[in-house]
């Protein structure tokens, strides 16, 4: 362990997951100031090479200390990176364009700083070993490097229940830097074990692969394309080994989780992509919304009802493709089950101050949406019978939730007060920490707007935040919700680049007022503000 500098800070790249590994690539420039040289990394489908790094800074002082990092080569460094606080929350921070420089205030303890929110091989192993619930079974699906790295398959179900269960599989993609799937897997398992009846453990057998590439986690993304270049212990390439293991499970539904399209240099930061599988309708090409209309598919409409999170995180441009595309294309062709690929990103999911907590929530939302959409589908069509390659499905006793319906606040006429629809309070595009929101309400400090609650709506949700245009010198504001004149929610004081998700139950009638309590110079946004009928996360209306 290096000696701390005069400010009490030690900066290292840990053996498990850290990079650069050569101590000569981490240079102390001055007290609290380091230069980290992490050579550019190139993968085949990304046009520009990219600087990848993961270091840990330990502040041994009893009070916060400033840290300046210079990430080289600067021309291959993204204008943002992520850090994990000693308390465990992952946050995004800006990297100065052209210099690769970033500055943090380090709390006492160890802060992890990385190009993407990441985990180590040891953290993965400890997570798997921590799952002692009898509804979870852990099995080694395959191994790498002579058994040194183990790829675990988690199965979550009630040992009893029906005989013919719906089999759903979720797996992180075998692309090392695409870490969202690992955190989503944790969110899925957390929800499945939460006791929520909608998890339907009597009727569903859930299979989860949190990390198919632990060697890449150990080497911090060095083996980014394991599926193409790394031979696993069974003698086959990583990708073939992984898909063979998934195929052997004969799952009815399969989700492989990616995130490459928006976290790399030169890629859009306002685009995600979502796949659904509709055996009856919908194009297999990749239409871009909103430039093109959404495919005419009842299954897709159900997906959008159960999983509409893009409003909350500013994403209005996304791809929806019917995953029948993969029946004859890609590595999974010829294996049983319906496979879907999503691209869920970390960028822009800062509400509440923890990116990874929101990505874990995405895992829960995906699992609930996937199971509900296809249980409704099977109930209406009796699709999976004994003659199906994946087997019959029995929904006896299953909990089928009513399908949600969402009403964006911008489509309603206020009964009192004013707000700017889909723009900030000054009429400019709505920005929350560099992320443009295409839906929501813009206001100024001191403003309030009141809406009649749509009949039957049992929740309101919106990402409350000062607009980026407010600047950092205008002070903080609190965002307030009042139901029939009674305050039901108030945010913490929020400054520029802070945000907090409001999510409150509603009685299906009455009025809801939205207010920004702060100086008039503050531009207050309610990003993605919407009312929902049949929100499964809130009590039903009376």
């Amino acid at each position: 362990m290096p000696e701390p500098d005069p400010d009490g800070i030690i900066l290292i790249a840990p053996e498990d997951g850290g990079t650069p590994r050569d101590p000569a690539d981490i240079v102390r420039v001055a007290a609290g100031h380091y230069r980290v040289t992490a050579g550019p990394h190139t993968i085949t489908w990304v046009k520009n090479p990219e600087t990848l790094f993961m270091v840990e800074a330990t502040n041994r002082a009893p009070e916060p200390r400033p840290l300046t990092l210079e990430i080289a080569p600067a021309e291959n460094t993204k204008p943002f990176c992520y850090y994990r606080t000693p308390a465990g929350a992952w946050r995004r921070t800006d990297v100065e364009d052209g210099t690769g420089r970033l500055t943090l205030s380090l709390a006492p303890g160890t802060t992890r700083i990385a190009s993407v929110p990441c985990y180590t091989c040891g953290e993965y192993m400890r997570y798997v070993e921590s799952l002692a619930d009898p509804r979870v079974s852990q099995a080694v699906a395959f191994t790498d490097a002579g058994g040194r790295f183990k790829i675990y398959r988690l199965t979550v179900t009630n040992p009893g229940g029906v005989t013919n269960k719906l089999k759903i599989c979720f797996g992180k993609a075998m692309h090392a830097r695409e870490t969202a799937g690992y955190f989503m897997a944790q969110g899925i398992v957390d929800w499945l074990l939460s006791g929520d009846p909608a998890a339907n453990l009597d009727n569903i057998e859930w299979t989860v692969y949190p990390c198919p590439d632990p060697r890449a986690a150990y080497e911090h993304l060095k083996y980014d394309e394991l599926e193409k270049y790394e031979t696993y212990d069974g003698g086959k390439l990583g990708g073939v080994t992984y898909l063979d293991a998934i195929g052997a499970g004969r799952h009815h539904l399969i989700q492989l989780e990616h995130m490459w399209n928006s976290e790399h240099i030169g890629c859009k930061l306002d685009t995600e992509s979502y796949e659904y599988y509709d055996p009856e309708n919908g194009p297999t090409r990749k239409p871009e919304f909103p430039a093109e209309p959404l495919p005419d598919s009842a299954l897709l409409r159900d997906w959008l009802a159960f999983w509409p999170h893009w409003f909350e995180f500013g994403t209005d441009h996304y791809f929806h493709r019917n995953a029948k595309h993969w029946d004859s294309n890609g590595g999974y062709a010829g294996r049983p089950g319906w496979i879907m690929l999503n691209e869920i990103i970390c960028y822009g999911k800062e509400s509440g101050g923890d990116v990874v907590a929101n990505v874990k929530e995405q895992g829960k939302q995906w699992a609930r949406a996937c199971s509900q959409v296809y249980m409704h589908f099977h109930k209406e069509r009796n699709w999976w019978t004994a003659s199906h390659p994946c087997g019959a499905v029995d929904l006896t006793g299953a909990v089928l939730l009513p399908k949600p319906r969402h009403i964006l606040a911008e489509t309603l006429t206020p009964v009192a007060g004013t707000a700017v629809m889909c723009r900030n309070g000054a009429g400019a595009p709505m920005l929350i920490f560099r992320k443009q929101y295409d839906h929501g309400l813009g206001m100024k400090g001191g403003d309030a707007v009141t809406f009649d609650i749509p009949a039957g709506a049992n929740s309101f949700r919106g990402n409350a935040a000062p607009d980026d245009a407010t600047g950092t010198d205008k002070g903080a504001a609190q965002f307030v919700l009042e139901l029939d004149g009674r305050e039901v929610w108030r945010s913490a004081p929020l400054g520029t680049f802070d945000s907090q998700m409001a999510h409150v139950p509603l009685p299906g009638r009455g009025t809801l007022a939205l207010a920004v309590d702060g100086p008039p110079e503050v531009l207050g946004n309610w990003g993605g503000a919407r009312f929902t009928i049949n929100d499964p996360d809130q009590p039903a209306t009376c």
Side-chain angles (χ1 to χ4, degrees), residues 269-270 313 315 347-348 430-437:
L269 288 171
D270 64 348
F313 300 114
T315 302
Y347 189 92
M430 188 181 298
L431 291 173
I432 299 176
F433 198 176
R434 321 286 190 220
K435 192 74 180 286
Q436 180 168 325
Y437 278 63

Side-chain angles (χ1 to χ4, degrees), residues 13-18 21 54 56 112 119-123 126 214 217-220:
E15 180 180 354
D16 182 4
R21 298 293 177 89
M54 191 277 265
E56 291 184 344
R112 179 175 295 174
Y119 57 95
T120 68
C121 182
E123 288 167 343
R126 288 190 292 276
Y218 183 83
E219 298 284 353
H220 190 71

Side-chain angles (χ1 to χ4, degrees), residues 154-218:
L154 308 178
T155 304
V156 186
T157 192
N158 279 336
V162 302
T163 300
N164 296 319
K165 295 183 177 181
L166 177 65
K167 298 188 290 292
I168 303 178
C169 177
F170 178 93
K172 174 193 173 296
M174 195 174 264
H175 297 156
R177 73 175 72 185
E178 301 175 26
T179 57
Y182 172 76
F183 299 113
M184 288 180 69
Q186 292 185 338
I188 292 169
V189 173
D190 288 348
W191 175 64
L192 295 179
L193 301 179
S194 71
D196 187 339
N200 282 298
L201 297 187
D202 281 339
N203 296 86
I204 303 176
E205 180 181 280
W206 299 85
T207 298
V208 179
Y209 289 89
C211 178
D213 47 4
R215 181 177 180 181
Y218 183 83

Side-chain angles (χ1 to χ4, degrees), residues 412-426:
L412 302 176
T413 301
V415 297
T418 59
V420 182
M421 307 303 176
C422 306
R423 314 283 280 185
N424 70 20

Side-chain angles (χ1 to χ4, degrees), residues 40-241:
H41 178 72
T42 303
I43 57 177
T44 55
W45 60 80
V46 178
K47 183 184 301 183
N48 302 309
E50 182 177 335
T51 300
L52 300 179
F53 63 94
M54 191 277 265
V55 295
E56 291 184 344
T58 299
N59 174 14
R60 292 191 170 182
E63 65 280 325
R65 296 291 197 197
L67 172 70
T68 297
L69 284 187
E70 294 179 22
I71 309 299
E75 63 272 17
N76 300 124
T77 301
K78 294 178 297 188
F80 60 92
C81 70
Y82 299 88
Y83 66 98
R84 189 182 70 185
T85 69
W90 276 98
R91 297 176 179 172
R92 175 163 52 101
T93 189
D94 289 337
V95 175
E96 188 176 302
D97 196 20
T99 70
R101 178 176 294 195
L102 64 103
T103 301
L104 296 175
S105 177
L106 295 182
T110 298
T111 297
R112 179 175 295 174
I113 310 165
S115 42
V116 294
C118 61
Y119 57 95
T120 68
C121 182
E123 288 167 343
Y124 157 62
M125 294 299 295
R126 288 190 292 276
Y127 168 70
V128 171
E129 293 165 358
S130 74
L131 297 171
D133 192 292
R135 295 168 293 178
V136 182
S137 62
Q138 302 103 320
V140 177
F142 46 96
T143 62
D144 187 18
R148 180 183 177 190
F149 300 103
K150 296 178 174 62
I151 292 80
Y152 280 94
R153 176 177 58 244
L154 308 178
T155 304
V156 186
T157 192
N158 279 336
V162 302
T163 300
N164 296 319
K165 295 183 177 181
L166 177 65
K167 298 188 290 292
I168 303 178
C169 177
F170 178 93
K172 174 193 173 296
M174 195 174 264
H175 297 156
R177 73 175 72 185
E178 301 175 26
T179 57
Y182 172 76
F183 299 113
M184 288 180 69
Q186 292 185 338
I188 292 169
V189 173
D190 288 348
W191 175 64
L192 295 179
L193 301 179
S194 71
D196 187 339
N200 282 298
L201 297 187
D202 281 339
N203 296 86
I204 303 176
E205 180 181 280
W206 299 85
T207 298
V208 179
Y209 289 89
C211 178
D213 47 4
R215 181 177 180 181
Y218 183 83
E219 298 284 353
H220 190 71
L221 320 186
K222 178 179 178 182
Y223 298 93
D224 198 87
E225 295 180 272
L226 277 170
E227 84 282 6
K228 292 184 178 180
Y229 304 127
E230 177 72 11
T231 299
Y232 273 35
D233 290 342
K236 296 181 180 179
L237 293 176
V240 176
T241 302

Side-chain angles (χ1 to χ4, degrees), residues 183-184 186-188 191 307 309 312-313 355-368 461 503 537:
F183 299 113
M184 288 180 69
Q186 292 185 338
I188 292 169
W191 175 64
W307 199 28
H309 60 269
E312 300 158 22
F313 300 114
V355 171
V356 164
N358 286 316
V359 174
K360 289 180 179 180
E361 175 69 12
Q362 299 284 278
K364 166 195 167 180
Q365 297 287 343
W366 171 84
R368 185 171 59 198
R461 193 173 180 108
H503 189 199
D537 286 315

